[in-house]
Amino acid sequence: AQSVTQLGSHVSVSEGALVLLRCNYSSSVPPYLFWYVQYPNQGLQLLLKYTSAATLVKGINGFEAEFKKSETSFHLTKPSAHMSDAAEYFCAVSDQGRGRRALTFGSGTRLQVQP
Amino acid sequence: NAGVTQTPKFRVLKTGQSMTLLCAQDMNHEYMYWYRQDPGMGLRLIHYSVGEGTTAKGEVPDGYNVSRLKKQNFLLGLESAAPSQTSVYFCASRPPEAGRTKEQYFGPGTRLTVT
Protein backbone atom coordinates (compact mmCIF):
# COMPACT_ATOMS: atom_id res chain seq x y z
CA ALA A 1 0.00 0.00 0.00
CA GLN A 2 1.14 3.50 -0.69
CA SER A 3 1.26 6.38 1.74
CA VAL A 4 2.35 9.98 1.92
CA THR A 5 3.62 11.85 4.95
CA GLN A 6 3.81 15.61 5.07
CA LEU A 7 5.91 16.89 7.94
CA GLY A 8 4.49 20.01 9.51
CA SER A 9 0.80 20.80 9.31
CA HIS A 10 1.60 24.53 9.47
CA VAL A 11 4.61 26.37 8.09
CA SER A 12 5.14 30.10 8.49
CA VAL A 13 7.72 32.08 6.51
CA SER A 14 8.44 35.74 5.92
CA GLU A 15 7.82 37.27 2.54
CA GLY A 16 10.95 36.80 0.45
CA ALA A 17 12.18 33.81 2.46
CA LEU A 18 12.73 30.29 1.23
CA VAL A 19 9.72 28.00 1.24
CA LEU A 20 10.34 24.32 2.03
CA LEU A 21 7.43 21.92 2.37
CA ARG A 22 8.33 18.32 3.12
CA CYS A 23 6.83 15.20 1.61
CA ASN A 24 7.92 11.60 2.08
CA TYR A 25 6.27 8.70 0.34
CA SER A 26 6.04 4.98 0.68
CA SER A 27 5.62 2.90 -2.44
CA SER A 28 6.68 -0.57 -3.51
CA VAL A 29 7.17 0.53 -7.10
CA PRO A 30 8.52 3.73 -8.69
CA PRO A 31 5.91 6.34 -7.86
CA TYR A 32 4.11 9.07 -9.70
CA LEU A 33 4.07 12.07 -7.33
CA PHE A 34 2.15 15.32 -7.33
CA TRP A 35 1.92 18.57 -5.48
CA TYR A 36 -1.43 20.34 -5.42
CA VAL A 37 -2.28 23.74 -3.98
CA GLN A 38 -5.62 24.75 -2.48
CA TYR A 39 -6.41 28.43 -2.02
CA PRO A 40 -9.10 29.32 0.53
CA ASN A 41 -12.55 28.06 -0.45
CA GLN A 42 -11.32 26.71 -3.77
CA GLY A 43 -10.60 23.34 -5.34
CA LEU A 44 -7.19 21.77 -5.82
CA GLN A 45 -4.86 23.01 -8.53
CA LEU A 46 -1.87 21.08 -9.81
CA LEU A 47 1.47 22.71 -9.00
CA LEU A 48 3.76 20.09 -10.48
CA LYS A 49 4.18 16.37 -11.02
CA TYR A 50 6.93 13.77 -11.13
CA THR A 51 6.47 11.01 -13.67
CA SER A 52 10.08 9.71 -13.88
CA ALA A 53 11.20 11.93 -16.77
CA ALA A 54 13.41 14.18 -14.59
CA THR A 55 14.18 14.25 -10.88
CA LEU A 56 13.97 18.05 -10.61
CA VAL A 57 10.52 19.17 -11.56
CA LYS A 58 9.54 22.78 -12.15
CA GLY A 59 5.97 23.85 -11.65
CA ILE A 60 3.83 26.91 -11.74
CA ASN A 61 4.32 30.09 -9.68
CA GLY A 62 8.07 29.49 -9.23
CA PHE A 63 7.74 26.23 -7.29
CA GLU A 64 9.91 23.21 -7.88
CA ALA A 65 10.38 19.80 -6.30
CA GLU A 66 13.17 17.25 -6.33
CA PHE A 67 12.54 13.53 -6.36
CA LYS A 68 15.08 11.68 -4.21
CA LYS A 69 14.64 7.95 -4.39
CA SER A 70 17.24 7.22 -1.70
CA GLU A 71 15.37 9.42 0.76
CA THR A 72 11.85 8.57 -0.57
CA SER A 73 11.20 12.29 -0.62
CA PHE A 74 9.61 14.85 -2.91
CA HIS A 75 10.02 18.15 -1.09
CA LEU A 76 8.52 21.33 -2.52
CA THR A 77 10.57 24.52 -2.58
CA LYS A 78 10.35 28.12 -3.71
CA PRO A 79 13.31 30.48 -3.37
CA SER A 80 11.32 33.55 -2.37
CA ALA A 81 7.87 33.46 -0.79
CA HIS A 82 5.16 35.83 -1.90
CA MET A 83 2.04 36.79 0.02
CA SER A 84 -0.05 35.13 -2.67
CA ASP A 85 1.56 31.76 -1.85
CA ALA A 86 -0.46 31.51 1.36
CA ALA A 87 -2.52 28.36 0.86
CA GLU A 88 -2.71 24.70 1.76
CA TYR A 89 -0.41 22.33 -0.09
CA PHE A 90 -0.97 18.64 -0.62
CA CYS A 91 1.48 15.99 -1.71
CA ALA A 92 -0.04 12.92 -3.39
CA VAL A 93 1.06 9.63 -4.91
CA SER A 94 -0.78 7.88 -7.72
CA ASP A 95 -1.83 4.24 -7.70
CA GLN A 96 0.48 2.05 -9.73
CA GLY A 97 -0.45 -0.47 -12.35
CA ARG A 98 -3.71 -0.63 -14.20
CA GLY A 99 -6.92 0.02 -12.35
CA ARG A 100 -8.41 2.92 -10.52
CA ARG A 101 -5.44 5.33 -10.72
CA ALA A 102 -6.60 7.18 -7.64
CA LEU A 103 -4.45 9.53 -5.58
CA THR A 104 -3.37 8.98 -1.99
CA PHE A 105 -2.93 12.35 -0.31
CA GLY A 106 -0.87 13.55 2.57
CA SER A 107 -2.61 15.44 5.35
CA GLY A 108 -1.61 18.80 3.95
CA THR A 109 0.60 21.71 5.01
CA ARG A 110 -0.84 25.16 5.49
CA LEU A 111 1.63 27.84 4.44
CA GLN A 112 1.45 31.23 6.08
CA VAL A 113 3.44 34.12 4.63
CA GLN A 114 4.19 36.98 6.99
CA PRO A 115 4.76 40.49 5.64
CA ASN B 1 -14.28 24.33 -21.31
CA ALA B 2 -15.85 24.57 -17.87
CA GLY B 3 -13.68 21.69 -16.61
CA VAL B 4 -15.13 19.96 -13.55
CA THR B 5 -18.19 21.52 -11.98
CA GLN B 6 -20.03 20.56 -8.80
CA THR B 7 -23.57 21.27 -7.64
CA PRO B 8 -24.44 22.54 -5.08
CA LYS B 9 -21.62 24.60 -3.56
CA PHE B 10 -23.06 24.58 -0.05
CA ARG B 11 -25.72 22.55 1.71
CA VAL B 12 -26.99 22.09 5.24
CA LEU B 13 -28.83 18.86 6.03
CA LYS B 14 -30.50 17.52 9.09
CA THR B 15 -29.58 14.06 10.36
CA GLY B 16 -31.45 11.43 8.41
CA GLN B 17 -32.12 13.56 5.33
CA SER B 18 -30.90 12.49 1.92
CA MET B 19 -29.27 14.39 -0.92
CA THR B 20 -27.36 13.96 -4.15
CA LEU B 21 -24.22 15.79 -5.16
CA LEU B 22 -23.70 16.24 -8.87
CA CYS B 23 -20.36 16.32 -10.62
CA ALA B 24 -20.03 17.11 -14.31
CA GLN B 25 -16.98 17.26 -16.56
CA ASP B 26 -16.72 18.36 -20.17
CA MET B 27 -13.26 16.97 -20.92
CA ASN B 28 -14.42 13.53 -22.06
CA HIS B 29 -12.49 11.91 -19.20
CA GLU B 30 -13.01 8.23 -18.46
CA TYR B 31 -12.06 8.23 -14.81
CA MET B 32 -14.00 10.11 -12.15
CA TYR B 33 -13.61 10.24 -8.37
CA TRP B 34 -15.29 11.45 -5.24
CA TYR B 35 -13.12 12.52 -2.30
CA ARG B 36 -13.93 13.99 1.07
CA GLN B 37 -11.66 16.49 2.81
CA ASP B 38 -11.52 16.72 6.57
CA PRO B 39 -9.16 18.88 8.65
CA GLY B 40 -5.78 17.25 9.20
CA MET B 41 -6.67 14.22 7.07
CA GLY B 42 -6.09 15.37 3.52
CA LEU B 43 -8.44 13.97 0.90
CA ARG B 44 -9.81 10.44 1.15
CA LEU B 45 -11.33 8.47 -1.70
CA ILE B 46 -15.02 7.62 -1.31
CA HIS B 47 -15.94 6.03 -4.65
CA TYR B 48 -14.60 6.08 -8.15
CA SER B 49 -15.55 5.16 -11.70
CA VAL B 50 -13.34 4.00 -14.56
CA GLY B 51 -16.02 4.48 -17.20
CA GLU B 52 -19.68 4.99 -17.94
CA GLY B 53 -21.82 2.47 -16.12
CA THR B 54 -19.08 1.30 -13.73
CA THR B 55 -18.44 2.32 -10.13
CA ALA B 56 -16.34 0.97 -7.29
CA LYS B 57 -15.64 1.62 -3.63
CA GLY B 58 -12.72 3.62 -2.37
CA GLU B 59 -11.31 3.83 1.14
CA VAL B 60 -14.31 5.41 2.93
CA PRO B 61 -17.47 4.31 1.07
CA ASP B 62 -19.82 3.65 4.01
CA GLY B 63 -22.97 5.78 3.95
CA TYR B 64 -22.54 6.81 0.31
CA ASN B 65 -23.71 5.53 -3.05
CA VAL B 66 -22.74 6.62 -6.54
CA SER B 67 -23.93 6.34 -10.12
CA ARG B 68 -22.32 7.01 -13.50
CA LEU B 69 -25.15 6.72 -16.02
CA LYS B 70 -23.53 9.20 -18.40
CA LYS B 71 -19.82 9.56 -19.06
CA GLN B 72 -19.80 13.22 -18.16
CA ASN B 73 -21.68 12.92 -14.85
CA PHE B 74 -20.83 11.26 -11.54
CA LEU B 75 -23.42 11.46 -8.75
CA LEU B 76 -22.75 10.98 -5.06
CA GLY B 77 -25.72 10.14 -2.86
CA LEU B 78 -26.21 10.25 0.87
CA GLU B 79 -29.25 8.15 1.76
CA SER B 80 -29.43 9.06 5.46
CA ALA B 81 -27.05 11.83 6.39
CA ALA B 82 -25.10 11.69 9.65
CA PRO B 83 -23.06 14.40 11.41
CA SER B 84 -19.91 12.39 10.61
CA GLN B 85 -20.54 13.19 6.94
CA THR B 86 -20.00 16.89 7.54
CA SER B 87 -17.13 17.57 5.19
CA VAL B 88 -16.02 19.21 1.98
CA TYR B 89 -16.59 16.93 -1.00
CA PHE B 90 -14.44 17.12 -4.11
CA CYS B 91 -15.03 15.53 -7.44
CA ALA B 92 -12.14 14.87 -9.81
CA SER B 93 -11.66 13.45 -13.27
CA ARG B 94 -8.70 12.02 -15.16
CA PRO B 95 -7.91 11.23 -18.78
CA PRO B 96 -7.52 7.60 -19.85
CA GLU B 97 -4.22 5.76 -19.69
CA ALA B 98 -2.83 6.87 -23.02
CA GLY B 99 -0.07 9.46 -22.80
CA ARG B 100 1.87 10.66 -19.78
CA THR B 101 -0.81 12.98 -18.46
CA LYS B 102 -1.75 11.40 -15.18
CA GLU B 103 -2.95 14.23 -12.96
CA GLN B 104 -6.52 14.59 -11.79
CA TYR B 105 -8.59 17.69 -12.38
CA PHE B 106 -10.64 18.85 -9.43
CA GLY B 107 -13.95 20.61 -9.06
CA PRO B 108 -14.45 23.55 -6.67
CA GLY B 109 -15.97 21.42 -3.92
CA THR B 110 -19.26 21.14 -2.03
CA ARG B 111 -19.31 22.14 1.60
CA LEU B 112 -21.84 19.95 3.44
CA THR B 113 -22.92 20.40 7.03
CA VAL B 114 -25.09 17.80 8.75
CA THR B 115 -26.75 18.98 11.97
Side-chain angles (χ1 to χ4, degrees):
Chain A
Q2 302 161 138
S3 65
V4 174
T5 302
Q6 291 183 240
L7 293 176
S9 58
H10 289 81
V11 170
S12 182
V13 301
S14 299
E15 192 172 19
L18 171 72
V19 175
L20 171 60
L21 304 182
R22 299 177 187 274
C23 172
N24 288 89
Y25 69 89
S26 171
S27 177
S28 58
V29 297
Y32 293 123
L33 294 158
F34 304 82
W35 275 100
Y36 281 87
V37 60
Q38 184 182 30
Y39 298 104
N41 299 314
Q42 293 189 27
L44 278 71
Q45 178 183 358
L46 182 70
L47 267 181
L48 50 81
K49 59 182 179 180
Y50 168 75
T51 55
S52 75
T55 57
L56 183 61
V57 181
K58 294 188 184 300
I60 62 171
N61 301 338
F63 284 93
E64 63 182 36
E66 186 172 9
F67 173 73
K68 292 187 176 180
K69 183 178 178 181
S70 60
E71 299 177 7
T72 61
S73 69
F74 190 54
H75 301 332
L76 182 71
T77 60
K78 182 173 180 178
S80 176
H82 192 272
M83 296 296 290
S84 61
D85 295 327
E88 189 154 22
Y89 293 79
F90 293 96
C91 183
V93 61
S94 177
D95 289 355
Q96 295 299 299
R98 296 197 173 276
R100 66 182 199 178
R101 291 292 192 179
L103 294 174
T104 298
F105 286 87
S107 55
T109 297
R110 187 169 297 278
L111 176 66
Q112 230 178 357
V113 182
Q114 307 287 352
Chain B
N1 285 353
V4 180
T5 58
Q6 293 183 232
T7 309
K9 287 186 170 48
F10 302 93
R11 185 74 186 267
V12 178
L13 286 180
K14 293 184 177 179
T15 298
Q17 287 185 320
S18 64
M19 77 165 293
T20 300
L21 283 67
L22 170 63
C23 175
Q25 51 94 5
D26 60 1
M27 298 174 283
N28 201 35
H29 286 172
E30 293 290 339
Y31 294 71
M32 295 188 75
Y33 308 85
W34 276 108
Y35 294 91
R36 60 177 288 172
Q37 182 184 25
D38 302 294
M41 301 187 74
L43 279 75
R44 293 179 292 167
L45 182 65
I46 305 171
H47 285 280
Y48 66 97
S49 168
V50 299
E52 181 178 314
T54 70
T55 63
K57 295 180 180 180
E59 271 75 48
V60 289
D62 294 343
Y64 305 96
N65 56 74
V66 289
S67 65
R68 183 107 181 261
L69 299 179
K70 293 183 178 181
K71 186 177 183 179
Q72 64 267 34
N73 294 338
F74 194 29
L75 279 63
L76 177 72
L78 285 73
E79 291 184 345
S80 179
S84 61
Q85 294 177 304
T86 293
S87 187
V88 181
Y89 292 86
F90 286 100
C91 176
S93 70
R94 181 189 183 280
E97 286 297 323
R100 296 187 62 79
T101 303
K102 299 184 192 304
E103 69 263 31
Q104 294 181 12
Y105 297 79
F106 284 81
T110 295
R111 187 174 296 272
L112 174 66
T113 301
V114 182
T115 61

